[in-house]
Amino acid sequence: MSDLLVAQNVFFGLIAVVMLVSAVRCVTTRNVVHAALWLVLVFAGSAALFILLGSEFVAVTQVLVYIGAIIVLFLFGVMLTRASMGDDASVASEKRAMAALVAVLLAAVMGLALFDSFSDTRLVIDEPQRFGVVSDAIFSQYIVAFEAVSVLLLAALIGAIVIARKD
């Protein structure tokens, strides 16, 4: 086994632990702004994993779109709608039990679906896909979905501004 493969495994493990802790903190913190900052760490970790896979274009896109745009949009929405920054009395502990149950059921269903769909599939990677192939796929085959997401983000931003405006 080469030293590079061992180093990649170590870095993957470190990044995965950081992402896991950040994801748990993102959904368990009581402050919405802190949740967004923990989410930044999760997105940065996924970009780092793309770099480990040799897909630099997807990693840069992850940083620009998710960290640069989605988190900023999320924070603008929080700030413009004057959402609660800390403890919210309307979120009671009985809602947490139902949320945990739904999360476990959703994870089980997704796990079973993935296992059923890909149990007999073997992944063979001769060489990583480069940005030309990925960009051609995004802007030819998936252009409608790409544009729909951009329109959805624009509508969310306009909606946040309209809600925040004083009459």
Side-chain angles (χ1 to χ4, degrees), residues 19-70:
M19 286 178 67
L20 186 64
V21 169
S22 299
V24 168
R25 289 293 299 148
C26 178
V27 297
T28 58
T29 187
R30 294 179 185 263
N31 191 321
V32 179
V33 176
H34 291 169
L37 295 176
W38 285 111
L39 192 60
V40 167
L41 277 177
V42 174
F43 288 156
S46 65
L49 290 179
F50 283 127
I51 289 174
L52 278 180
L53 288 171
S55 184
E56 298 85 10
F57 175 75
V58 179
V60 170
T61 304
Q62 175 82 16
V63 169
L64 290 176
V65 172
Y66 286 98
I67 296 176
I70 301 295

Side-chain angles (χ1 to χ4, degrees), residues 6 16 22 34 45 58 65 75 96 111 124 129 131 134 141 149 154:
V6 172
S22 299
H34 291 169
V58 179
V65 172
L75 289 174
R96 292 178 192 263
V124 178
Q129 296 290 325
F131 66 89
V134 175
Q141 186 177 357
V149 168
L154 179 64

